[in-house]
Amino acid sequence: MLEELREEVLKANLALPRNNLVVGTTGNVSGIDRESGYIIIKPSGVDYDGLKKEDLVVVDFEGKVVEGKKKPSVDTPHHLYLYRKIKNLGGVIHTHSPYATMFALLEQPIPVYSTAHADIFGVEIPCTPYVNNRTDHIGKAILRSRQEGCPAILLGKHGVFTFDETPAKALRASIMLESVALIAQGALELASTLRVNLSALPPEEAGLWYARHHGGGYGQDE
């Protein structure tokens, strides 16, 4: 199981720069094997271009390195906090993807302007107030502000976290979050230019789109 998870975590990490979600060495993906209690995460400060499977670091719930020669990401404590508190969580991703982070810098949520947003997230993407990165401050802020069923959150003045049942699903949320943030930012600019109001979908309508996408007929039967 750990070997399969390592492959999935590597694949998700390498997808971040390809989808313009990170620059340089920023950002990280982790995944957890609940049976062993081990978490696999990107090492700190390692460029994606040279990232290999053997570079990934295995840590336990206390953050102690179990396997790997490199230091784990400095964001490891935040990942661990989320895994401890959200029992069905299997993958966590942190980025500073540009369009989503624009909203985070303003400490503003992203309203449900589009049906594509409603499909994946169901509700507005919440934003935490600014907190520093000491101890469990980020993890606690995420838990206070997150919306049940929504796999993404903005961190005020900071960036983005996505989380889901697997690293692959968390990656999908990261990619879709950046897409809806880009579209929202462009629509807001266009609305200002045209001097028209941009309104969000009513919650009940957003809920209908979300329900269809999550088990209500979307996709192929297994």
Side-chain angles (χ1 to χ4, degrees):
M1 289 298 295
L2 274 183
E3 190 60 25
E4 291 179 9
L5 181 61
R6 195 189 303 269
E7 290 280 0
E8 187 176 359
V9 169
L10 176 65
K11 185 176 179 180
N13 270 292
L14 295 179
L16 298 184
R18 288 201 305 269
N19 288 279
N20 299 315
L21 302 179
V22 297
V23 295
T25 63
T26 64
N28 40 73
V29 179
S30 74
I32 185 172
D33 174 44
R34 290 284 178 180
E35 186 173 339
S36 66
Y38 290 158
I39 296 92
I40 301 176
I41 193 166
K42 179 182 180 286
S44 178
V46 173
D47 199 288
Y48 291 91
D49 286 343
L51 186 65
K52 298 179 178 61
K53 188 167 60 173
E54 54 267 29
D55 294 325
L56 299 175
V57 186
V58 182
V59 300
D60 63 17
F61 262 127
E62 304 307 315
K64 180 182 177 181
V65 174
V66 174
E67 186 178 327
K69 298 179 180 179
K70 300 184 184 299
K71 295 189 299 182
S73 167
V74 294
D75 295 313
T76 299
H78 318 319
H79 290 243
L80 296 180
Y81 187 88
L82 295 177
Y83 286 128
R84 285 196 295 267
K85 299 296 183 179
I86 307 174
K87 300 306 180 185
N88 64 342
L89 209 57
V92 176
I93 298 179
H94 174 48
T95 75
H96 305 119
S97 57
Y99 285 94
T101 300
M102 290 181 193
F103 285 87
L105 297 185
L106 296 171
E107 297 184 85
Q108 293 296 312
I110 305 176
V112 189
Y113 289 132
S114 70
T115 59
H117 179 141
D119 280 344
I120 306 301
F121 304 105
V123 295
E124 71 176 18
I125 310 299
C127 184
T128 75
Y130 169 76
V131 293
N132 63 40
N133 61 2
R134 304 302 180 195
T135 62
D136 291 331
H137 292 176
I138 285 178
K140 289 178 178 177
I142 290 173
L143 285 191
R144 283 194 298 267
S145 298
R146 81 182 187 101
Q147 294 289 321
E148 190 66 35
C150 178
I153 196 165
L154 310 177
L155 301 179
K157 307 296 185 188
H158 187 162
V160 177
F161 267 84
T162 62
F163 29 80
D164 213 315
E165 295 173 343
T166 66
K169 288 184 177 181
L171 173 64
R172 176 173 176 258
S174 292
I175 293 169
M176 287 303 300
L177 172 60
E178 185 65 357
S179 175
V180 300
L182 185 159
I183 292 169
Q185 193 256 10
L188 286 166
E189 289 185 0
L190 186 59
S192 177
T193 299
L194 298 178
R195 298 182 181 179
V196 298
N197 181 52
L198 175 62
S199 59
L201 280 172
E204 59 274 16
E205 287 298 315
L208 290 174
W209 288 90
Y210 182 86
R212 187 193 69 163
H213 197 86
H214 296 264
Y218 180 84
Q220 301 300 310
D221 295 331
E222 303 229 347

